[in-house]
Amino acid sequence: MKSAKLTIDGNEHEFPVTVGSEGEVGIELSGLRKTTGAISLDPGYGSTGSCLSEITFIDGEKGILRYRGYDIEELAKNCTFVEVCYLLNFGHLPNEAQLQDFGDKMTRHTLLHEDMKKFFEGFPATAHPMAMLSAMVSSLSAYYPGAGIDEDLDLNVVRLLAKVKTIAAFSFKKSMGQPFVYPRNEYSYCANFLHMMFSLPTENYKPSKVLVDALNLLLILHADHEQNCSTSTVRMVGSSHVSLYASIAAGISALWGPLHGGANQAVIEMLRMIRNDGANYQKYVDMAKDKSSGFRLMGFGHRVYRNFDPRARILKRTADQVLSELGVDDPLLKIAKRLEQVALEDEYFVKRRLYPNVDFYSGIIYRAMGIPTNMFTVMFALGRMPGWIAHWKEMRNDPRTRINRPRQIYTGPTHQVFVPRAER
Ligand code: CMC
């Protein structure tokens, strides 16, 4: 297919077609308004491609997810999160020397400016850690004002990846009312994060291999997912040429919503509700089917995946494994499995092809690791960071990027005659 034809009021217009490396077809409509005066209307962008991208490929029908061409299953089995950060941002897997160099830099940039600790003091103890994360990442632009504009971009990429886990752990400590724990350079990325989360001045904490491996896997599975709501936000905000930190802070806010990354917290709240209500699965499945209830099965459904979410498959397996290795017997895991079974046998879910997504089982693993529910979306953000950054870089380096500025179809009142206040 080389072009597509569109007939408007009997006039035929021809538009070029772009075919991706996996055969995806896009009709290039950027000239639509100029040639026809009309615009395309696609609320929610379900049929709209916003860019060409070389980073991640998803085939929702076949349940395929690949970063830079590598299957997620293979990356999850064989890589560290730091390796995946490198892959997403530099386009290829690192060799030993490249990984060593990148890993060292990630280790050496973990500290926050001491003044930033004062920002945490200003938050109430009840502040949601996502509110703190977004504000703190935005604040980094005050310390590195040239980030990605006139300062070395790769250095700022490393800074952000390294510092965000310190910010995340400090947010947790703030909410617990415990002293901040500084990073230690002898630890790997994941071990360092766990150390900052769980160390106390009163006792020595040594991150266990089970926890480090589980965290590594979780972060890799969340590392990128092409043009989802938060990544598109990062690209859109960045298209105004604002800094890397400001763009990523906007992405963090987009992720927070319960229809996106906030779903992992919402899943656990839902499972608890079901347990406290006598494990009446059918009642909740019926409620989710009833549009007037305003209730959805959290952790179910996806815009792109229509048969299964490959990340959810890996996580279901991992939940069993991690809980058994840690000796944790979580009744919510049984509830989740039974709820999945009841929903997957229901015609409503079968017909709409709604399956568990990445958020359905991730929370159960986080719980077993000792991570509290309100930190789950922060964990998602930590994982998604390399993906957001890679997309920001790709967007800024693409000569086709224009400031993102969609149009609309106006449906409000036509011209009205102004009536002075006294006469209204
Ligand atoms: N429970 C009940 N019904 C659902 C659900 C659900 N979780 N998800 C979709 N539906 C129904 C929806 O009502 C609609 O029905 P109908 O055709 O009769 O109007 C149909 O399925 C299609 O849904 P949609 O809302 O058009 O799908 P979407 O692509 O716009 O939304 C979604 C995708 C993920 C926002 C949605 O499935 C949802 O709200 N799921 C629950 C929240 C959730 O788990 N979010 C995490 C997504 S994965 C992590 C991430 O990448 O953010």
Side-chain angles (χ1 to χ4, degrees), residues 103-269:
D104 282 353
K105 285 186 186 138
M106 291 263 272
T107 303
R108 280 187 282 107
H109 284 280
T110 44
L111 283 175
L112 302 181
H113 193 290
E114 278 295 292
D115 286 353
M116 285 188 79
K117 285 192 345 199
K118 298 193 190 108
F119 299 171
F120 284 98
E121 283 167 26
F123 284 105
T126 51
H128 196 286
M130 281 297 276
M132 291 190 255
L133 183 70
S134 171
M136 289 297 155
V137 169
S138 191
S139 304
L140 287 174
S141 19
Y143 293 89
Y144 308 104
I149 297 164
D150 40 41
E151 239 187 58
D152 181 355
L153 180 57
D154 286 342
L155 173 61
N156 282 291
V157 167
V158 163
R159 274 185 186 140
L160 182 49
L161 287 167
K163 290 181 197 310
V164 75
K165 68 175 185 304
T166 311
I167 295 175
F170 279 20
S171 308
F172 168 68
K173 287 295 193 190
K174 162 76 192 182
S175 66
M176 297 295 286
Q178 292 175 1
F180 297 138
V181 174
Y182 285 84
R184 293 181 67 134
N185 284 359
E186 75 261 33
Y187 284 136
S188 68
Y189 187 96
C190 291
N192 216 351
F193 174 72
L194 293 167
H195 152 72
M196 288 189 278
M197 287 281 289
F198 298 122
S199 287
L200 288 168
T202 45
E203 62 188 44
N204 262 339
Y205 171 84
K206 192 117 186 47
S208 75
K209 186 171 167 0
V210 181
L211 291 193
V212 170
D213 289 350
L215 180 58
N216 195 56
L217 176 89
L218 281 155
L219 296 183
I220 290 174
L221 294 183
H222 286 87
D224 193 42
H225 216 234
E226 50 119 305
Q227 308 309 318
N228 54 83
C229 176
S230 55
T231 303
S232 301
T233 299
V234 168
R235 290 184 85 121
M236 177 175 250
V237 171
S239 77
S240 76
H241 289 195
V242 74
S243 81
L244 174 68
Y245 299 112
S247 309
I248 300 290
I252 293 171
S253 297
L255 183 76
W256 192 1
L259 297 190
H260 193 6
N264 55 15
Q265 173 171 343
V267 167
I268 295 298
E269 286 160 359

Side-chain angles (χ1 to χ4, degrees), residues 1-6 12-19 25-29:
M1 201 196 304
K2 290 216 167 56
S3 68
K5 286 185 179 142
L6 178 67
E12 202 172 78
H13 305 274
E14 198 164 342
F15 296 95
V17 162
T18 294
V19 181
V25 176
I27 304 168
E28 286 195 35
L29 292 177

Side-chain angles (χ1 to χ4, degrees), residues 225 228 255 258-261 263 267 288-289 291 295-304 306 309 311 348-349 352 354 357-359 380 384:
H225 216 234
N228 54 83
L255 183 76
L259 297 190
H260 193 6
V267 167
K289 287 153 55 176
K291 303 262 192 283
F295 175 81
R296 283 188 163 197
L297 275 198
M298 300 314 285
F300 257 78
H302 200 275
R303 173 66 59 82
V304 182
R306 291 298 171 198
D309 179 338
R311 304 166 301 172
Y348 173 98
F349 288 86
R352 288 169 183 75
L354 303 170
N357 59 47
V358 69
D359 292 318
F380 193 147
R384 186 54 53 87

